[in-house]
Amino acid sequence: MSDVDRFASIPNNVDLHSDKRLQRALESWQPGYLEWWREMGPAMAQDKDAYLRTAISVDTDGWAHFDYVKMPEYRWGIFLADPTPDRKIHFGDHVGKPVFNEVPGEYRNILRRMIVTQADTEPASVEQQRKLAFTAPSLLDMRNLFQVNVEEGRHLWAMVYLLHAHFGKDGREEADELLRRRSGDPDKPRILGAFNQPCNDWVSFFAFTMFTDRDGKYQLASLAESGFDPLARTCRFMLTEEAHHLSVGETGIMRIVRRTGELMKQHPGVDVRTLGAVDLPTLQRVINFWYSYSLDLFGGEISSNAADFFASSLKGRYQEERRAEHTALDQMKIVPVVDGGRLTNKEVPLRNALNEVLRDDYVEDCERALRRWNHELEKIGVEARLTLPSRRFHRHQGEYSRHAFDSQGELITAEQFEANRAKWLPSEADMEFLRSIMVPVHQVGKIANWLSAPVRGVNGQAFDFEFVRLG
Amino acid sequence: MMIRSASVMSNILLVAWNGVRYLSRPMETIDFNRHPSSYLHWKLAVDGPIARLVMDVQEEKPWRPGYPLKLNSYDLGVDMELADSIQRLRFEQPQVRCLVVTSTRDKIFCAGANIYMLQSSAHPFKVNFCKYTNETRLGLEEFARESGVRTLAALNGTASGGGYELAIACDEIHLIDDGSSAVSFPETPLLAVLPGTGGLTRLVDKRKIRRDIADVFCTVAEGFRGSKALKTGLVDAVHSRSRFESKVQERAAQIAAQAPVTRPGPGITLDPIHAKVDGDTLRWEHVTLQIDAKSRVATLTVRAPTGAEPIDGAALQARGCKAWAIQCFRELDDALLQLRFGFDQVGVVLLKTEGDAAKVAAVDTMLDQHAADWLVKETRLLIGRALRRLDLTGRSLFALIEPGSCFAGTLFELALAADRSYMLNDPARPVYLQLTAMNGGALRMSHCMTRLECRFLGAPEKAKQAAASREPIDAEQAEELGLVTFAPDEIDWDDEVRVAIEERAAMSPDALTGMEASLRFAGPESMETKIFGRLSAWQNWIFTRPNSTGDEGALSLYGRPERPVFDWRRT
Ligand SMILES: [Fe+2]
Ligand SMILES: [Fe+2]
C-alpha cells in the first residue's frame, strides 16, 4: 500500500514531497482553487461545521473519515488506488503490453482532451448546485449536498494532478482554464451541455445526481480500465466516492415517489400539487429532461473518437475484464439511424459504436432504478408508473440531435415536438411550482413536506443528528 | 486447360465490352449552375453594403449519395454554391463592400472537406475537387484584392481543416472565445494527408505565422483556441460568446463605412450557363467541346462575337450577361469544368477559335479603354480567371491556328496558354494572329506575369515587342517572333498535327501532367502557384501513398475501427 501523507498541505498518496516541481505547481494552483470554491462553492454555510467524510487513504476499510469540518478547510487530497503489480493492458491495440506509466507521445493530445472533459464536469456540478442549500429539505439532505460538492472538488484535484504531473505546460494551462469556465455562462460555458443546465431545485438535484452523476460513473469506470495507469488508478478511487452521489440521487427520487405515492393513496382524486408535493407527471418531466441530457454525455452513436480511444487502449468498456474478447474488432453493432427521413438500422463496426455500448450499460442501470421506484408505487398501491423516455428523445448530441423524436422514440416533426414540449419536458410553470414548494427546512430532525425522510442517516447516525451546525 | 483459356477469353471480351460501353455511353453534363434562391447549404443575405454568407450544410443532401455531410463539412456541391455566391456578389451586388462568412451551427463553423467523400472518391476526382475548391478560395481573395470587397470570416465555432482554410482565405478572421471553439489543421495527425486547399502555404506566406509555430499548430489535431489562436496570429480577433455577433456586425459596418465606393452599379443578373449535348459534342453559344473518346482527344473551340458588342461600360451594363465578353468566358469556364470532372480519359485538348478577329479586337478595345468602369473591370477579372483555369487544367493543350480562326487579343491568350501551338503556313489560305492591349498586362497568370512575359522569360524585349504590335501577324512572322511553336505548310500540316496528337496521347498521363505543370509557369512563384504546385506535387503524391490511402492508411481507416499502420521509410 502506498504511503499516505495526511498532513502535507496537499494530502496525498503519490509521494508528492519527493517531486518538488510538481508539488510547487500544485501549491501554486491551490489558491486559485480555494478562491473558486469561495466564489462558486455552496452559497451558504461555508463557515458552519458540516458532518462530512474525508478521504484519508485508499484501502477499503479505512478510506473515509467522518467528522465536522468547515468546507473551506476540507482536506482536498490526491489519492490514487494502489497500483496493481505488473498490470498489463487488457484491451485495444496494445493488449498484453505493460501499462503506460507515462503519457505516450502520440496519445498526449487525445488523453489530455479526455481528462479535461472529465475534469470539467467536476467543478461544473458544484456551480450548478451552488444555491441549493438555501432550500434544503432537511439537514441531512444539506449535508449530502455538501458531501457531493466537496467530493466533486476532490475529483477536480485528482484530474488536475494528472494534468500537472503528465502534461507539462499545456496541462497547467488546462488546469487554470478549469477554474475559469463557469456553468451556464454564455461566454465561458462548461464543456458539456448537461453541465450548463440550471439545477436550482431539489427535484432537479436528485435527478442530476441520479442520471448525470451516473454518466460520470460509467465514464470513470471505462477510464478505470485505461492502459494509462495513473488515470486508471485515479478513476478507480473516484468511483468509490461517486457511488454515494448516485445513491443520493436514486434514494432522493425514491423519497419523492414515496411521499407523493402516499399522498395519492391518502387523498384519492386530489391533485397532489394542491397538497404541496410533486405530482408524478412533473417528476416524469424532470426525469425526461435530465435523462436525455445525460444520454448526450456519452457522445455520438457512431464515433471515430470512441474507436480511437479504445484502439489506443486509453478508454475501455464498462467492466472490460468481464468480457470474453478485448479487441472489439471484426464485430458489428446495430445502431438505428435516420436515413432518408426514416429510422433504419445501420451496422456499425463495434469500435465505432462503443459510446452506444456504454450507453447500453447506463440505460440498463437506469431501468433498474426505475423498476425500484415503480415497485414502491406498487407497494403503496398507486396505479401510476414512471418511465424512461426513448434514448432518441430530446437529444442534443449524436445521430438523433438533428431530428425530433417523441418520448417513445418515433420520428416526428419539429413542430410536433414543440406542440408536445410541455407534456414531455418541464415548463416554466412546472419550475415555478417546484420553486414554490422548495421551502427550507433547517431544523434538526425535520423534513420538507414534499419529501419523505430517509430510512437511515449517515455513518450510523440517525436522521435527527445535527448534520450541519447552522446555529 | 480448356476451361482456363475460356475464362481468360471471356475476361478479354468483358474488358472489350466495357470499353465499347464506355465509348458509346451518352454524354452527360454536370450542372455547375447554382442560385441563391435554391442553395441547399448556404444562405446569402445582402443588406446594403454588407453581405452575409452563412453556411448551414444539409447533412442528407450530399452531391452524390454515400456520405452524410456532418458538422458543416463540404463536398463539391457545397463548394459550387460558394463559388456561385462570390460570382453573384461580383456582378449582381456591386454595392457590397464587406462580405461576412459565417455559419448558423452552434459551436461549428465548418469541419472542412468531408472525409468520407474523399475516402470514397477516385484519385482524379479528389485532385479535381481540390483544384476547384482552391480556385474558389483564390477567387475569394481576388474579390477582396481587386474588387475592393473586404472579407471577414466570423468563426462562430470550430473551424477545422478546410474550414480554417476557408477562413484563412478571408482578409480577417474573428473567432468566438467560448473555451471550446478552435481553429485547426488536423489533416496530418489524423488523416496522414495535408490541408489541401492552400492552408499550409497561407499560414506562412499570407498570415506570416512563424514556421515553428505553424509546425506545432499543424500537428495538434485539436488546434488552438481563443487567446492562443490570437497570440499566434492564426486569427485577428476573439470575442466572447455574448458579444460575438455584435462585434462582428460592428466590424462589418465599420469596414463597409470605410471602404470607398468603387463599384457604383447597378448590377447585372447572371443567367445559368447550359451546354446542349449533341452526340459527342457539348455546345454552348460561343464554345463547343467535342470529345473523341476513342483517341482521348477533345477539341475546344471558342467563337468570336458575330454581331455588334457593347462599346463602353454603359452598353455592357445594358447587354448584361449576354455580352460576348461575359458569356463566352463563363462558357469557357464551364467547358473546362465539364472536361475536368466529366472526361478524365481525355489527354489532349486542341484549342481552336472561329470567327472574325476584328470583332474580338473590338471587344478588347472596349475592355481596355473602359477598364475603369466597374463592370468592365469585373469582366476582365472573369476572363482572367477562366484563362487561369485553363493554365491549371492538367491536360496537354495544343493550339491549332487554322484558316477561319480568330486568335486575336484575348483569344490569342488561348494559344499562349497552350503547351504548344501549330499555325498553318499556306499562302493560298493565309492565317493571322493579332495582339491587342489585352495581351499587355490585363490577363495575368497565377504568378502575376503575362503569358507573353512568361513565354519570353529569357528575352523580355521580345515580350514587350510582341505586346506592342497591333498588325496582323502571318505564320512565318509568328514563328520568327516565337509566338507559335510550329508553322507547317499545307503539305505537312495534316500529318504533322496528327502525329503530334497521337504521340502525345500515347505518353503517360501522370508524367505529362507533371511535366506540363512544371513548364507552364516559368518565372517567380506567387502564393497561388505555390499552392497549386504543392497541391499537385505533395498532396497528390501523399494521396496515392499507402500511408494515407493504402488498405492500412490513415485516410482509408478514418472512422473505421482499425488503426493505421505506416511504412516508416522517409522518401
Ligand atoms: Fe465526480
Ligand atoms: Fe459525482
Side-chain angles (χ1 to χ4, degrees):
Chain A
M1 208 193 92
S2 47
D3 282 344
V4 177
D5 191 347
R6 282 178 60 184
F7 305 103
S9 66
I10 303 166
N12 68 88
N13 72 341
V14 293
D15 205 11
L16 201 54
H17 70 268
S18 72
D19 187 343
K20 288 293 169 223
R21 186 198 61 82
L22 180 59
Q23 186 175 5
R24 269 201 304 275
L26 285 167
E27 280 170 358
S28 70
W29 184 80
Q30 194 172 30
Y33 169 81
L34 288 170
E35 200 178 302
W36 166 82
W37 178 268
R38 274 188 291 270
E39 188 196 329
M40 295 312 295
M44 69 168 275
Q46 289 265 16
D47 57 341
K48 308 293 184 205
D49 280 332
Y51 187 70
L52 299 176
R53 77 176 173 191
T54 306
I56 52 164
S57 79
V58 294
D59 53 341
T60 33
D61 334 298
W63 69 269
H65 170 80
F66 282 83
D67 206 348
Y68 282 106
V69 60
K70 293 180 179 62
M71 283 182 283
E73 291 159 22
Y74 188 81
R75 305 275 292 152
W76 284 287
I78 296 162
F79 296 98
L80 275 63
D82 285 329
T84 314
D86 296 325
R87 184 172 167 241
K88 298 278 190 292
I89 293 172
H90 60 292
F91 66 91
D93 289 351
H94 300 285
V95 69
K97 298 195 188 126
V99 289
F100 310 126
N101 280 302
E102 295 297 332
V103 178
E106 72 262 45
Y107 301 143
R108 183 186 165 105
N109 289 323
I110 60 171
L111 202 46
R112 191 187 66 210
R113 200 79 228 132
M114 278 162 68
I115 291 171
V116 167
T117 306
Q118 175 62 40
D120 193 62
T121 66
E122 312 291 354
S125 63
V126 175
E127 292 163 1
Q128 285 168 293
Q129 297 160 12
R130 178 159 196 271
K131 292 185 176 155
L132 284 170
F134 289 125
T135 54
S138 75
L139 286 183
L140 175 62
D141 286 296
M142 186 190 288
R143 175 262 163 222
N144 284 345
L145 168 71
F146 293 159
Q147 184 71 61
V148 169
N149 291 164
V150 292
E151 282 172 355
E152 301 304 8
R154 206 202 65 74
H155 295 172
L156 174 60
W157 269 97
M159 291 287 143
V160 164
Y161 161 74
L162 291 176
L163 289 171
H164 274 221
H166 296 281
F167 296 89
K169 181 163 173 274
D170 289 350
R172 291 195 295 278
E173 282 173 13
E174 293 283 9
D176 291 343
E177 283 296 306
L178 287 167
L179 297 177
R180 283 195 202 118
R181 287 188 283 271
R182 290 287 181 274
S183 174
D185 185 323
D187 290 337
K188 284 274 173 193
R190 292 292 170 184
I191 296 170
L192 298 167
F195 292 91
N196 288 304
Q197 302 302 322
C199 183
N200 291 330
D201 66 90
W202 280 76
V203 183
S204 298
F205 172 68
F206 290 139
F208 183 95
T209 37
M210 164 69 208
F211 292 109
T212 308
D213 270 292
R214 196 169 303 269
D215 155 75
K217 170 187 164 177
Y218 284 86
Q219 299 303 333
L220 292 175
S222 343
L223 295 178
E225 307 283 336
S226 182
F228 178 51
D229 205 41
L231 176 63
R233 290 167 54 207
T234 302
C235 291
R236 253 182 285 157
F237 185 65
M238 283 163 74
L239 278 167
T240 57
E241 291 165 317
E242 205 64 52
H244 171 253
H245 310 180
L246 306 188
S247 89
V248 166
E250 187 175 335
T251 59
I253 294 184
M254 177 66 103
R255 289 160 59 204
I256 300 173
V257 166
R258 188 174 298 141
R259 176 67 179 151
T260 299
E262 281 165 5
L263 286 171
M264 286 168 77
K265 186 73 184 169
Q266 288 161 18
H267 307 274
V270 175
D271 178 359
V272 292
R273 275 198 184 197
T274 62
L275 305 169
V278 186
D279 54 312
L280 289 181
T282 302
L283 177 60
Q284 179 68 59
R285 288 192 283 273
V286 174
I287 288 174
N288 291 353
F289 180 88
W290 287 104
Y291 178 64
S292 56
Y293 266 112
S294 304
L295 287 170
D296 280 340
L297 299 172
F298 290 82
E301 282 69 18
I302 303 168
S303 163
S304 54
N305 275 344
D308 280 345
F309 294 168
F310 188 88
S312 45
S313 305
L314 298 177
K315 182 180 179 186
R317 284 169 289 187
Y318 182 60
Q319 297 184 332
E320 183 67 46
E321 270 167 275
R322 292 198 189 167
R323 295 172 195 258
E325 199 283 330
H326 300 290
T327 68
L329 280 173
D330 308 317
Q331 297 159 70
M332 307 297 271
K333 182 171 169 65
I334 301 284
V335 177
V337 297
V338 179
D339 191 6
R342 288 187 359 196
L343 264 179
T344 46
N345 281 334
K346 181 170 177 174
E347 271 212 340
V348 179
L350 185 59
R351 278 187 178 185
N352 296 70
L354 286 179
N355 287 341
E356 192 61 5
V357 170
L358 191 60
R359 200 165 4 234
D360 286 344
D361 292 316
Y362 170 81
V363 168
E364 207 176 289
D365 193 8
C366 293
E367 283 167 347
R368 180 200 49 74
L370 248 287
R371 280 194 299 275
R372 288 195 52 215
W373 302 331
N374 282 333
H375 182 67
E376 185 70 17
L377 289 171
E378 194 183 333
K379 259 188 3 201
I380 296 167
V382 169
E383 296 270 304
R385 295 289 179 266
L386 294 168
T387 57
L388 284 181
S390 160
R391 63 175 86 182
R392 292 189 283 278
F393 169 77
H394 189 236
R395 290 288 301 280
H396 297 81
Q397 291 290 324
E399 286 295 312
Y400 311 123
S401 59
R402 297 270 277 173
H403 306 275
F405 295 88
D406 67 14
S407 61
Q408 303 297 303
E410 297 301 325
L411 202 50
I412 55 174
T413 65
E415 293 74 44
Q416 287 171 316
F417 184 89
E418 285 311 316
N420 283 289
R421 176 180 279 274
K423 195 171 101 191
W424 292 327
L425 293 165
S427 63
E428 196 32 56
D430 287 335
M431 299 317 285
E432 209 168 293
F433 168 71
L434 290 180
R435 282 194 293 271
S436 77
I437 61 169
M438 293 295 133
V439 188
V441 179
H442 291 169
Q443 297 87 1
V444 175
K446 294 281 190 300
I447 185 81
N449 173 60
W450 57 273
L451 192 63
S452 75
V455 183
R456 60 186 85 83
V458 150
N459 194 35
Q461 308 289 3
F463 178 66
D464 61 3
F465 182 76
E466 189 173 15
F467 289 105
V468 186
R469 286 177 177 153
L470 290 177
Chain B
M1 278 309 279
M2 281 302 290
I3 293 163
R4 194 187 160 88
S5 40
S7 94
V8 169
M9 263 309 278
S10 69
N11 275 342
I12 291 167
L13 284 174
L14 195 66
V15 169
W17 184 76
N18 278 337
V20 171
R21 226 168 88 90
Y22 170 72
L23 295 177
S24 61
R25 188 184 60 183
M27 297 229 298
E28 285 163 14
T29 57
I30 296 167
D31 190 0
F32 284 86
N33 290 295
R34 292 294 183 273
H35 191 275
S37 63
S38 54
Y39 286 169
L40 295 171
H41 309 296
W42 296 88
K43 280 170 196 68
L44 178 59
V46 179
D47 181 7
I50 300 172
R52 280 174 69 88
L53 187 53
V54 183
M55 195 176 203
D56 185 16
V57 176
Q58 286 199 45
E59 204 171 303
E60 291 184 55
K61 300 261 171 73
W63 185 62
R64 60 181 163 75
Y67 50 86
L69 291 172
K70 294 200 170 162
L71 305 174
N72 259 3
S73 59
Y74 61 80
D75 67 353
L76 188 60
V78 178
D79 223 62
M80 285 181 193
E81 293 180 359
L82 175 61
D84 179 80
S85 62
I86 301 167
Q87 189 82 314
R88 285 187 195 279
L89 287 171
R90 289 172 174 284
F91 284 94
E92 299 186 349
Q93 311 277 1
Q95 82 284 8
V96 167
R97 297 196 292 282
C98 175
L99 169 63
V100 177
V101 184
T102 188
S103 109
T104 47
R105 299 281 297 272
D106 188 36
K107 293 196 174 166
I108 300 163
F109 171 69
C110 166
N114 187 277
I115 295 163
Y116 302 102
M117 177 276 295
L118 289 174
Q119 270 178 352
S120 60
S121 298
H123 185 67
F125 178 85
K126 274 202 283 257
V127 174
N128 281 306
F129 168 76
C130 288
K131 231 179 223 186
Y132 181 86
T133 55
N134 270 298
E135 286 164 334
T136 306
R137 278 137 198 79
L138 288 162
L140 184 63
E141 289 179 320
E142 190 198 49
F143 186 41
R145 190 178 61 240
E146 301 293 336
S147 306
V149 176
R150 198 165 172 88
T151 50
L152 189 160
L155 309 183
N156 56 306
T158 290
S160 52
Y164 182 56
E165 289 182 300
L166 176 57
I168 205 175
C170 293
D171 293 326
E172 52 190 82
I173 306 175
H174 294 240
L175 173 64
I176 194 166
D177 186 10
D178 59 2
S180 71
S181 294
V183 295
S184 68
F185 279 156
E187 285 87 346
T188 304
L190 275 191
L191 306 171
V193 297
L194 303 182
T197 324
L200 298 179
T201 306
R202 282 194 183 88
L203 271 188
V204 288
D205 270 64
K206 181 181 182 181
R207 293 198 69 92
K208 302 185 170 55
I209 309 290
R210 230 172 62 198
R211 57 171 281 200
D212 50 349
I213 293 169
D215 179 282
V216 175
F217 174 65
C218 297
T219 49
V220 179
E222 65 188 56
F224 293 175
R225 283 171 279 153
S227 56
K228 193 164 179 185
L230 182 65
K231 220 174 89 189
T232 46
L234 293 164
V235 303
D236 300 293
V238 292
H239 312 296
S240 67
R241 203 179 168 85
S242 55
R243 297 198 309 173
F244 186 74
E245 259 310 309
S246 64
K247 281 281 176 191
V248 166
Q249 273 176 20
E250 209 173 281
R251 176 64 186 142
Q254 187 185 32
I255 289 170
Q258 285 171 354
V261 177
T262 54
R263 310 193 317 145
I268 62 165
T269 304
L270 297 179
D271 295 339
I273 294 287
H274 283 296
K276 286 198 187 67
V277 181
D278 176 7
D280 63 356
T281 304
L282 300 180
R283 288 186 202 286
W284 294 261
E285 197 179 331
H286 306 295
V287 174
T288 55
L289 178 65
Q290 185 261 330
I291 307 284
D292 182 349
K294 196 161 170 244
S295 62
R296 292 179 283 101
V297 175
T299 305
L300 180 64
T301 307
V302 182
R303 284 180 294 279
T306 48
E309 285 296 321
I311 55 160
D312 59 20
L316 183 63
Q317 156 76 48
R319 183 72 61 87
C321 72
K322 295 296 173 211
W324 178 85
I326 296 175
Q327 167 112 3
C328 177
F329 288 90
R330 288 181 72 207
E331 291 179 357
L332 174 63
D333 207 45
D334 193 34
L336 292 170
L337 293 175
Q338 300 300 337
L339 180 71
R340 286 187 189 176
F341 284 99
F343 305 98
D344 59 4
Q345 300 267 326
V346 167
V348 181
V349 178
L350 306 178
L351 299 170
K352 296 189 182 182
T353 57
E354 275 174 23
D356 183 354
K359 289 217 153 60
V360 179
V363 171
D364 279 9
T365 302
M366 183 277 289
L367 291 172
D368 178 50
Q369 291 183 349
H370 298 281
D373 179 274
W374 78 272
L375 182 57
V376 174
K377 185 173 180 191
E378 281 302 338
T379 306
R380 290 160 55 116
L381 294 170
L382 168 88
I383 298 171
R385 286 194 300 279
L387 290 170
R388 285 200 296 280
R389 189 160 256 160
L390 178 64
D391 293 330
L392 290 165
T393 295
R395 314 295 166 96
S396 300
L397 306 175
F398 287 6
L400 297 185
I401 305 167
E402 298 168 288
S405 70
C406 52
F407 282 95
T410 296
L411 290 191
F412 180 55
E413 293 288 319
L414 297 174
L416 291 173
D419 296 302
R420 47 169 105 162
S421 50
Y422 291 82
M423 186 169 181
L424 177 66
N425 180 11
D426 180 356
R429 295 181 298 157
V431 188
Y432 299 98
L433 299 176
Q434 192 191 331
L435 284 88
T436 70
M438 290 300 283
N439 301 112
L443 305 168
R444 291 177 183 272
M445 299 175 69
S446 297
H447 59 335
C448 309
M449 300 186 92
T450 67
R451 288 181 185 78
L452 280 172
E453 286 165 351
C454 179
R455 185 175 188 85
F456 297 114
L457 191 65
E461 66 287 357
K462 283 194 183 179
K464 280 207 194 80
Q465 191 194 340
S469 109
R470 293 290 176 271
E471 298 305 310
I473 299 169
D474 69 19
E476 264 169 41
Q477 284 173 292
E479 193 177 22
E480 177 68 26
L481 291 169
L483 294 173
V484 297
T485 319
F486 300 110
D489 62 24
E490 70 279 15
I491 303 165
D492 290 341
W493 175 266
D494 284 350
D495 239 27
E496 283 272 337
V497 170
R498 178 185 62 78
V499 168
I501 295 167
E502 287 179 2
E503 178 193 59
R504 189 67 159 209
M507 287 185 198
S508 155
D510 301 336
L512 285 176
T513 300
M515 181 196 84
E516 290 154 3
S518 305
L519 302 180
R520 280 179 193 174
F521 300 94
E525 295 265 4
S526 67
M527 191 184 76
E528 194 165 327
T529 58
K530 282 187 188 176
I531 287 172
F532 284 110
R534 288 160 189 185
L535 170 73
S536 315
W538 289 116
Q539 174 73 315
N540 291 347
W541 174 71
I542 292 165
F543 262 154
T544 58
R545 294 275 298 160
N547 284 340
S548 66
T549 50
D551 288 345
E552 297 185 308
L555 185 64
S556 308
L557 291 180
Y558 183 78
R560 301 248 290 273
E562 304 87 2
R563 296 303 85 213
V565 178
F566 292 138
D567 172 353
W568 295 112
R569 285 176 301 173
R570 280 273 188 149
T571 315

